[in-house]
Amino acid sequence: MSFWHRLIVAAAVFAVFTLLARIVDWWLARRPLPPEAVTRYRVLRRGISASILVVGFFSALLVIPQIQAVAGGLLASSAVLGVIIGFASQRTLGNFIAGLLIAISQPVRLGDRVTYAGEDGIVEDIGLTYTFIRTRDDARLVVPNDKLVSDSIRNASIRSRGTFAEVTVQVPLSADLRAVVAGLREEVTGEHDASVLVSGLDGNAVLTIRARANDEDAAQLLESDLRVRAHGRLKALGVWG
């Protein structure tokens, strides 16, 4: 068999392994999973797919005798080569292992609200080497997995994705605060864990309205609704013209 025939066979072998990796990934992705297992399966899928592709690549190379001969020469200096590769890939392997640790211990999960390096955001993707956090301004914070494992990170939804919608309004100190607070409490009657507090009296009276929401997106919608309700009630009480 000529070199080009063997090269075609090698390409076909690698194509078969690539197709196998895609089929395995599709089969793992289509399984319905509870939220706590999504992160673990995401990393597992990528690890399995990468392993299949690596095996397929080396299997394809073994089909070509010329490459086998070159590989024999390289094996003679495998000790030196191993040391060089070890130093060169130390950080990458560390990130890969850290990704597996994140998948197993799950200090963060997909969709968690976290604070890292002073930035608030949502965990959008956990890859084999990097984790992507979507910040409030829709930017992406890219964190190496080994940094994420070794550094402290604040996770606001590790136990529950529930959060609080919170808005503040200011009213003149001349207003009847008891009537204002009572009116605003009527507006949030029926909301879960709702409260209206006087949180400041510096220049104006500052009132804080809080209510529990199921997740971050629901909290943003509820905050908008609370502002509209507060505005209508304050106008009805004559506090705002």
Side-chain angles (χ1 to χ4, degrees):
M1 186 180 295
S2 67
F3 172 78
W4 292 108
H5 287 166
R6 293 183 181 275
L7 187 62
I8 293 173
V9 171
V13 170
F14 185 70
V16 169
F17 274 90
T18 301
L19 179 61
L20 177 62
R22 291 185 177 273
I23 292 174
V24 171
D25 183 72
W26 171 81
W27 180 77
L28 291 173
R30 64 189 293 267
R31 301 183 62 185
L33 298 170
E36 61 272 13
V38 172
T39 303
R40 185 178 292 114
Y41 256 74
R42 177 75 65 89
V43 178
L44 177 64
R45 282 168 47 200
R46 291 178 176 175
I48 291 176
S49 297
S51 300
I52 293 175
L53 289 176
V54 169
V55 172
F57 176 74
F58 284 105
S59 298
L61 292 182
L62 291 177
V63 176
I64 306 175
Q66 290 85 344
I67 294 181
Q68 291 180 4
V70 173
L74 291 176
L75 287 175
S77 58
S78 59
V80 176
L81 184 63
V83 171
I84 295 174
I85 293 177
F87 278 109
S89 61
Q90 182 178 7
R91 188 66 179 269
T92 301
L93 290 176
N95 284 325
F96 176 75
I97 294 173
L100 296 179
L101 291 176
I102 292 173
I104 295 172
S105 60
Q106 295 194 343
V108 296
R109 303 164 301 177
L110 296 176
D112 279 356
R113 301 189 317 278
V114 299
T115 301
Y116 180 78
E119 293 280 355
D120 296 329
I122 305 294
V123 179
E124 186 177 60
D125 188 23
I126 300 176
L128 292 177
T129 53
Y130 293 94
T131 293
F132 296 83
I133 300 174
R134 174 167 50 87
T135 60
R136 292 184 180 273
D137 59 354
D138 210 31
R140 299 298 184 276
L141 188 64
V142 183
V143 185
N145 285 338
D146 64 340
K147 292 281 291 181
L148 201 64
V149 169
S150 59
D151 292 349
S152 298
I153 183 169
R154 181 177 181 271
N155 191 329
S157 52
I158 187 66
R159 296 300 181 190
S160 172
R161 297 197 186 277
T163 185
F164 276 96
E166 182 175 296
V167 300
T168 59
V169 295
Q170 296 188 22
V171 300
L173 291 176
S174 58
D176 185 350
L177 289 184
R178 292 184 184 273
V180 171
V181 171
L184 292 176
R185 283 175 178 168
E186 288 181 7
E187 288 295 330
V188 295
T189 300
E191 298 292 346
H192 188 48
D193 287 344
S195 61
V196 178
L197 306 171
V198 179
S199 53
L201 292 173
D202 186 12
N204 288 313
V206 180
L207 278 65
T208 301
I209 308 169
R210 303 180 74 206
R212 183 174 290 277
N214 291 329
D215 52 43
E216 189 72 20
D217 293 336
Q220 292 182 5
L221 293 174
L222 183 55
E223 286 176 358
S224 175
D225 185 49
L226 291 176
R227 292 187 184 98
V228 172
R229 283 192 251 173
H231 179 266
R233 177 57 65 125
L234 293 174
K235 287 192 67 175
L237 291 172
V239 177
W240 290 348

